């Protein structure tokens, strides 16, 4: 039975078109050189970064992340990592917009506690509402709760990003059923963000129908981040191709791939006499 | 006058602008964003915006993150 056959369409987030469906974080690498090489190997076009206080004692010569990861080369996506309430997240987004000369695409994350880094969806919804009103294009990191995911879209978020598992845990997609529910119900792009640990998990996210995936630790904490970045690029492409192609049906019983007719060791009862 | 910069208290000469403060802290020309009393002050206003005693200033930049 041939089921759904899907046509490819470009990834469009808040009116911006992207070829790569792999978005990558810039945290946790050994140094800026490794960061740049990993991003290059991943083929990514969208990279996240954090906003933090400048050390006032710092000398002027020290390189800045944006010197190495240029806004000319990548779409830079500021996050609100480390924010535990809506007010902090909104302030961070406004500072990020100033850092990026008015670019207003942001990754909103409002965390509930520092041990699980699980999203506080109540504060996330509050922040999203205010940010959308202030003209931001909000990609909202959230739980895998399909009701919250739809609510974020209805508030005006341009993408919803349910976690696969806890940030930095590398535990893959804990609730594929919920992720599928979100994909079915939301019209804006759905990205798995957080918890992807292996290329097979990234491919699974894409096979489920995600529009893209966002990851950081999976690449940065691999013993060979450059090689892993390449693997992730291939996995996201493979998963997407698989999704568009449509999977084979599952069966209760076996179905041979080779025909029965003409077997040399056929039993008498098996022999099919031509009419 | 005493102001707070990134959570720390600093003593500054009176009648300073944000631009002058950034020069004094060797931050001029760097890719930073500034908040004054929880409101972002755009770069175009650094020259004209004055700092007063008790003001709370945040100076931030981009760093690696997920």
């Amino acid at each position: 039975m041939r089921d759904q056959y899907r046509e490819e369409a470009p990834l469009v987030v808040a009116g911006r078109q992207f070829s790569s469906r792999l978005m990558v974080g810039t945290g946790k690498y050994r140094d800026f050189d490794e960061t740049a090489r990993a991003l290059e190997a991943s083929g990514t076009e969208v990279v996240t970064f954090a906003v933090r206080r400048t050390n006032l004692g710092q000398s002027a010569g020290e390189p800045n992340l944006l010197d190495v990861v240029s806004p000319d080369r990548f779409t830079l996506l500021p996050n609100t990592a480390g924010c535990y309430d809506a007010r902090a997240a909104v302030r961070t987004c406004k500072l990020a917009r100033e850092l990026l000369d008015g670019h207003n695409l942001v990754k909103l994350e409002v965390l509930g506690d520092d041990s699980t880094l699980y999203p506080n969806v109540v504060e996330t919804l509050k922040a999203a509402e205010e940010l959308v009103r202030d003209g931001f294009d909000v990609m909202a990191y959230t739980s895998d709760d399909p009701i919250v995911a739809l609510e974020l879209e209805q508030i005006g978020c341009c993408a919803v990003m349910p976690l696969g598992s806890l940030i930095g845990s590398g535990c893959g997609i804990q609730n594929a059923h919920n992720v599928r529910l979100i994909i079915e119900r939301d019209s804006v792009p759905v990205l798995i963000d957080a918890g992807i640990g292996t290329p097979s998990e990234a491919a699974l996210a894409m096979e489920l129908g995600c529009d893209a995936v966002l990851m950081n630790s999976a690449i940065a904490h691999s013993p060979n981040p450059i090689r892993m970045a390449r693997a992730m690029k291939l996995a996201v492409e493979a998963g997407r191709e698989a999704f568009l192609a449509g999977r084979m049906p599952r069966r209760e019983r076996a179905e041979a791939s080779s025909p029965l007719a003409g077997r040399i060791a056929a039993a008498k009862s098996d022999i099919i006499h031509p009419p | 006058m005493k102001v707070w910069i990134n959570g720390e208290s600093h003593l500054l000469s009176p009648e300073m602008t944000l631009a002058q403060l950034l020069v004094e802290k060797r931050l001029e020309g760097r890719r930073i964003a500034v908040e004054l009393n929880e409101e972002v002050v755009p770069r175009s206003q650094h020259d004209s915006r004055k700092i007063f005693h008790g003001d709370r200033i945040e100076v931030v930049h981009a760093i690696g993150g997920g």
Side-chain angles (χ1 to χ4, degrees):
Chain A
M1 180 184 74
R2 300 293 168 90
D3 207 304
Q4 297 170 282
Y5 165 70
R6 299 176 178 103
E7 290 285 354
E8 179 57 299
L11 172 63
V12 179
V13 178
R16 301 161 176 82
Q17 195 167 302
F18 302 106
S19 318
S20 167
R21 291 175 181 273
L22 173 57
M23 303 188 180
V24 181
T26 55
K28 296 176 160 179
Y29 294 96
R30 195 192 344 258
D31 51 40
F32 279 160
D33 178 64
E34 187 177 82
T35 309
R37 288 190 298 130
L39 297 183
E40 172 79 42
S42 74
T44 190
E45 293 165 304
V46 182
V47 307
T48 60
F49 68 93
V51 176
R52 289 290 182 267
R53 285 172 166 171
T54 301
N55 182 349
L56 298 185
Q58 224 169 38
S59 71
E62 269 199 46
N64 184 287
L65 177 76
L66 299 188
D67 298 328
V68 179
V69 182
S70 169
D72 298 325
R73 171 93 195 272
F74 298 100
T75 294
L76 283 161
L77 187 59
N79 68 29
T80 63
C83 292
Y84 288 83
D85 59 51
R87 177 85 190 115
V90 170
R91 284 172 62 196
T92 302
C93 287
K94 290 182 174 178
L95 282 162
R97 182 165 58 183
E98 167 67 7
L99 272 174
L100 295 178
D101 303 319
H103 287 273
N104 60 2
L105 182 66
V106 295
K107 166 178 161 172
L108 171 64
E109 55 183 292
V110 188
L111 309 176
D113 74 70
D114 57 19
S115 150
T116 66
L117 300 182
Y118 208 84
N120 177 331
V121 297
V122 173
E123 290 294 305
T124 302
L125 288 162
K126 223 197 294 181
E129 202 158 31
E130 187 174 342
L131 289 167
V132 167
R133 220 182 312 127
D134 196 23
F136 285 93
D137 291 326
V138 180
M139 301 177 70
Y141 168 64
T142 180
S143 66
D144 53 19
D145 181 328
I147 306 298
V148 173
L150 192 56
E151 188 66 28
L152 284 164
E153 170 171 323
Q154 284 166 352
I155 281 172
C157 291
C158 65
V160 297
M161 309 202 293
L163 51 76
S165 50
L166 301 186
I167 291 171
S169 72
C171 288
I173 299 171
Q174 302 269 279
N175 197 337
H177 297 288
N178 277 29
V179 171
R180 266 229 59 84
L181 284 173
I182 294 171
I183 290 166
E184 282 164 15
R185 290 157 176 228
D186 279 65
S187 324
V188 292
V190 177
L191 289 74
I192 294 268
D193 175 17
I196 288 179
T198 63
S200 42
E201 287 157 4
L204 173 60
M206 299 307 294
E207 287 174 52
L208 289 172
C210 286
D211 295 277
V213 298
L214 177 52
M215 65 178 69
N216 192 151
S217 303
I219 295 175
H221 278 187
S222 158
N224 189 330
I226 315 307
R227 196 163 207 127
M228 181 54 83
R230 224 168 17 242
M232 287 297 183
K233 173 180 189 290
L234 294 168
V236 170
E237 288 169 5
R240 181 63 180 175
E241 287 289 299
F243 173 72
L244 295 174
R247 63 153 298 148
M248 62 168 281
R250 281 193 169 88
R251 296 175 63 90
E252 291 281 302
R253 303 272 185 272
E255 180 192 60
S257 302
S258 312
L260 287 174
R263 288 172 295 154
I264 58 169
K268 272 216 182 109
S269 56
D270 284 344
I271 294 169
I272 299 157
H273 292 288
Chain B
M1 59 178 174
K2 181 165 103 168
V3 302
W4 300 93
I5 308 174
N6 290 353
E8 288 179 347
S9 68
H10 290 252
L11 286 173
L12 304 177
S13 17
E15 297 288 310
M16 262 199 144
T17 63
L18 261 179
Q20 287 168 334
L21 170 63
L22 293 177
V23 169
E24 180 166 302
K25 300 299 178 189
R26 296 158 74 208
L27 293 170
E28 87 279 14
R30 302 198 52 198
R31 264 199 239 249
I32 50 151
V34 181
E35 212 194 40
L36 178 55
N37 299 326
E38 301 199 358
E39 299 269 345
V40 173
V41 181
R43 213 160 303 138
S44 56
Q45 292 174 25
H46 287 185
D47 269 326
S48 52
R49 196 64 179 272
K50 286 206 177 83
I51 304 170
F52 298 99
H53 179 81
D55 275 349
R56 287 165 292 117
I57 298 152
E58 295 283 346
V59 182
V60 299
H61 65 299
I63 65 157

